[in-house]
Amino acid sequence: MNLILVRPEDYIKQHTVRLSDRRLAHIRDIHRAQLNQSLKVGEINGDIGTGMIVDISHTHVTLSLTLSMPPPPPLPITLLLALPRPKMLKRILQTVSAMGVKEIYLLNSYKVDKSYWSTPVLSPASIEEHLLLGLEQAGDTVIPNVHLRKRFKPFLEDELDAISLDSQKLVAHPYSAQSQARVSRAKTTLAIGPEGGFIDYEIDKFQSLGFNSLSLGQRILKVETAIPVALSKLFSF
Amino acid sequence: MNLILVRPEDYIKQHTVRLSDRRLAHIRDIHRAQLNQSLKVGEINGDIGTGMIVDISHTHVTLSLTLSMPPPPPLPITLLLALPRPKMLKRILQTVSAMGVKEIYLLNSYKVDKSYWSTPVLSPASIEEHLLLGLEQAGDTVIPNVHLRKRFKPFLEDELDAISLDSQKLVAHPYSAQSQARVSRAKTTLAIGPEGGFIDYEIDKFQSLGFNSLSLGQRILKVETAIPVALSKLFSF
């Protein structure tokens, strides 16, 4: 937790919040914070700054806030991700949130195990929990939007054109041979396949919508490695 | 397992191996392989090619090998990594092995918890297991060398000069502000700090040995994300 995130309901008066959950535990046990100490604080979907401890006890901590800096800029990308297995999904939600992705579509694909769609990790509360962990890690405040799309074909046929409008369209998957990616800071829509890769039918569908291949090299990378590699190829970190 | 790795002791005659461990289970249960089917095979520290199934049963599989392609090229990098916590270490060993890093020094650092050095993950068998998982994932055969260095100062003072000779020397850590990295495909020595970052004393030590800062941007990334991001900044994938 490199940034303590506060929400509207934490305010007890203007510029002052009172916290009593895992954030209190973190401030007490990890920061070992004292009265009058300043911590890095951000407001969900708002600015970043400092919170000075004006009161601290076993049950709560009260912070006086000065928030005036904007959060780090987002990546201009929409990420389409074949739904990973639940354990990996948790880490991936944290990673993409930390890296600044703000629009994420979790997609079905032929090689996505059907059982993955019934994992509790996909509950709104669990998704938000992992996104917040990523924001707290990276020092960002803006919660990404995660969209679930359990049907591949209707999503590509009915929605993807509008979603990817005016963007560079790329599809990365482990068995893609060529790379025609124009690397840029331009608005991008990037699709990343499941562990076994998208099947030919799915690749054809993406290509028919104007998606080009993004090669990640000769080595076959796990999805959780492929994501930071692909984002680093496309944007400067 | 995108590549089945075989060892000298697997050979029953020239160009023929017999397997009976988790590789048999994988070939039977995941590949659902049949007689005369060809699988992608590599020899540890050797070439890559195909293995045709000439015999398969509940207890073993016999493959006739044709290995003629070299493994993918390694990254010309020596990675110095503050020892991560055990759970993350497992994944990191797999990731760096998959990405083609061949020289890895696991270092002590002020913010490395002492208990991390007694984890069973650091046993030679466990390290090799995770390195092999990375090679099997990526389709590589060359086992990386992992060196443990429990004392920071003697390592930097007595060994690092020779290790990093003729290489571009970089240190990445979460609180580095500036970036003077020359990005290239040149021989590189890259140091990555622990979750809390290297302390000033450690950074000063690296700088006195000619290490420059590599910035990974405004966001503070987890070590397991910082590694693929840094490698992607330095080398083309």
Side-chain angles (χ1 to χ4, degrees):
Chain A
M1 205 188 288
N2 295 304
L3 178 75
I4 292 152
L5 281 171
V6 303
R7 302 167 163 283
E9 57 266 36
D10 296 322
Y11 282 86
I12 52 171
K13 60 182 183 191
Q14 216 185 0
H15 308 306
T16 305
V17 292
R18 176 172 292 182
L19 311 177
S20 58
D21 51 15
R22 69 183 176 91
R23 294 169 294 179
L24 168 65
H26 185 86
I27 289 168
R28 287 186 44 207
D29 304 340
I30 309 294
H31 286 295
R32 298 172 196 281
Q34 312 276 325
L35 208 60
N36 296 324
Q37 191 174 330
S38 274
L39 303 168
K40 195 173 168 196
V41 175
E43 185 168 78
I44 291 275
N45 295 326
D47 282 346
I48 286 174
T50 57
M52 197 180 70
I53 299 177
V54 293
D55 185 27
I56 185 164
S57 73
H58 287 285
T59 55
H60 66 267
V61 56
T62 308
L63 300 171
S64 171
L65 306 183
T66 313
L67 307 181
S68 54
M69 285 180 303
L75 296 183
I77 193 169
T78 297
L79 188 62
L80 317 177
L81 194 60
L83 183 65
R85 63 188 162 83
K87 203 175 151 185
M88 201 183 270
L89 174 60
K90 291 184 190 179
R91 291 201 294 270
I92 287 175
L93 288 172
Q94 291 184 40
T95 303
V96 298
S97 175
M99 293 187 81
V101 178
K102 298 301 176 194
E103 291 294 333
I104 302 148
Y105 288 81
L106 296 172
L107 285 192
N108 198 31
S109 158
Y110 185 79
K111 291 190 181 165
V112 167
D113 192 303
K114 278 198 175 60
S115 69
Y116 296 174
W117 286 104
S118 40
T119 174
V121 181
L122 284 178
S123 72
S126 165
I127 288 178
E128 184 177 277
E129 178 195 342
H130 292 100
L131 296 175
L132 290 178
L133 288 171
L135 297 179
E136 290 169 354
Q137 165 69 37
D140 193 357
T141 66
V142 182
I143 305 186
N145 297 308
V146 173
H147 314 269
L148 310 187
R149 291 298 183 268
K150 287 181 74 165
R151 296 179 66 211
F152 180 87
K153 193 163 169 253
F155 173 69
L156 264 77
E157 292 183 351
D158 304 338
E159 285 193 84
L160 188 51
D161 238 355
I163 289 168
S164 60
L165 195 69
D166 296 332
S167 74
Q168 103 170 305
K169 301 171 196 176
L170 298 170
V171 55
H173 74 127
Y175 301 99
S176 125
Q178 77 281 46
S179 178
Q180 297 105 0
R182 290 168 298 126
V183 175
S184 70
R185 287 201 61 89
K187 189 181 162 196
T188 299
T189 307
L190 171 66
I192 295 186
E195 286 299 324
F198 284 122
I199 60 172
D200 290 346
Y201 165 81
E202 292 167 336
I203 291 292
D204 290 348
K205 270 284 182 197
F206 278 113
Q207 286 177 342
S208 74
L209 289 166
F211 280 68
N212 289 314
S213 287
L214 174 68
S215 166
L216 301 180
Q218 200 178 340
R219 296 166 180 278
I220 304 170
L221 302 175
K222 278 191 183 180
V223 171
E224 60 187 308
T225 310
I227 292 172
V229 169
L231 294 179
S232 303
K233 270 182 98 101
L234 295 169
F235 305 103
S236 55
F237 278 88
Chain B
M1 206 187 286
N2 295 305
L3 178 75
I4 292 152
L5 281 170
V6 302
R7 301 166 165 283
E9 58 266 34
D10 295 323
Y11 282 86
I12 52 171
K13 60 183 184 191
Q14 219 186 356
H15 308 308
T16 305
V17 292
R18 178 174 291 181
L19 311 176
S20 60
D21 51 14
R22 69 182 176 90
R23 295 168 295 179
L24 168 65
H26 185 87
I27 290 168
R28 286 185 45 208
D29 303 341
I30 309 296
H31 286 297
R32 298 172 194 279
Q34 311 275 326
L35 209 59
N36 297 323
Q37 191 175 332
S38 276
L39 303 168
K40 195 173 168 195
V41 175
E43 184 169 79
I44 291 277
N45 295 325
D47 282 346
I48 287 174
T50 57
M52 197 180 69
I53 298 177
V54 294
D55 185 26
I56 186 164
S57 74
H58 286 286
T59 55
H60 66 267
V61 58
T62 307
L63 300 171
S64 172
L65 306 184
T66 311
L67 308 181
S68 55
M69 284 180 304
L75 297 183
I77 192 169
T78 297
L79 188 62
L80 317 178
L81 194 61
L83 183 66
R85 62 190 162 82
K87 202 174 153 186
M88 203 184 264
L89 175 60
K90 292 183 190 181
R91 290 201 295 269
I92 287 175
L93 288 173
Q94 292 184 40
T95 302
V96 297
S97 176
M99 293 187 82
V101 178
K102 299 301 177 194
E103 293 293 334
I104 302 147
Y105 288 81
L106 296 173
L107 286 192
N108 198 30
S109 157
Y110 185 80
K111 291 192 181 165
V112 167
D113 191 304
K114 277 196 178 58
S115 70
Y116 296 174
W117 286 104
S118 40
T119 173
V121 181
L122 284 178
S123 72
S126 165
I127 288 178
E128 184 176 278
E129 177 195 343
H130 293 99
L131 296 175
L132 290 178
L133 288 171
L135 297 179
E136 291 169 353
Q137 165 69 37
D140 194 355
T141 67
V142 183
I143 305 187
N145 297 308
V146 174
H147 314 269
L148 310 186
R149 292 296 182 269
K150 286 181 75 166
R151 297 179 64 212
F152 180 86
K153 193 164 168 252
F155 173 70
L156 264 77
E157 291 183 351
D158 304 338
E159 284 193 85
L160 188 52
D161 238 355
I163 289 168
S164 60
L165 195 69
D166 297 332
S167 74
Q168 104 169 303
K169 302 170 196 175
L170 298 171
V171 54
H173 75 128
Y175 301 100
S176 124
Q178 77 280 46
S179 178
Q180 297 102 0
R182 290 167 299 128
V183 175
S184 70
R185 286 201 62 87
K187 190 180 161 197
T188 299
T189 307
L190 171 66
I192 296 186
E195 286 298 327
F198 285 121
I199 60 172
D200 291 346
Y201 165 82
E202 294 167 335
I203 291 291
D204 290 348
K205 271 283 180 196
F206 278 114
Q207 285 177 342
S208 74
L209 290 166
F211 280 68
N212 290 314
S213 287
L214 175 68
S215 165
L216 300 181
Q218 200 178 341
R219 295 166 181 277
I220 304 171
L221 301 175
K222 278 191 183 181
V223 172
E224 59 187 309
T225 309
I227 293 172
V229 168
L231 294 178
S232 303
K233 269 182 99 100
L234 295 169
F235 307 103
S236 56
F237 278 88

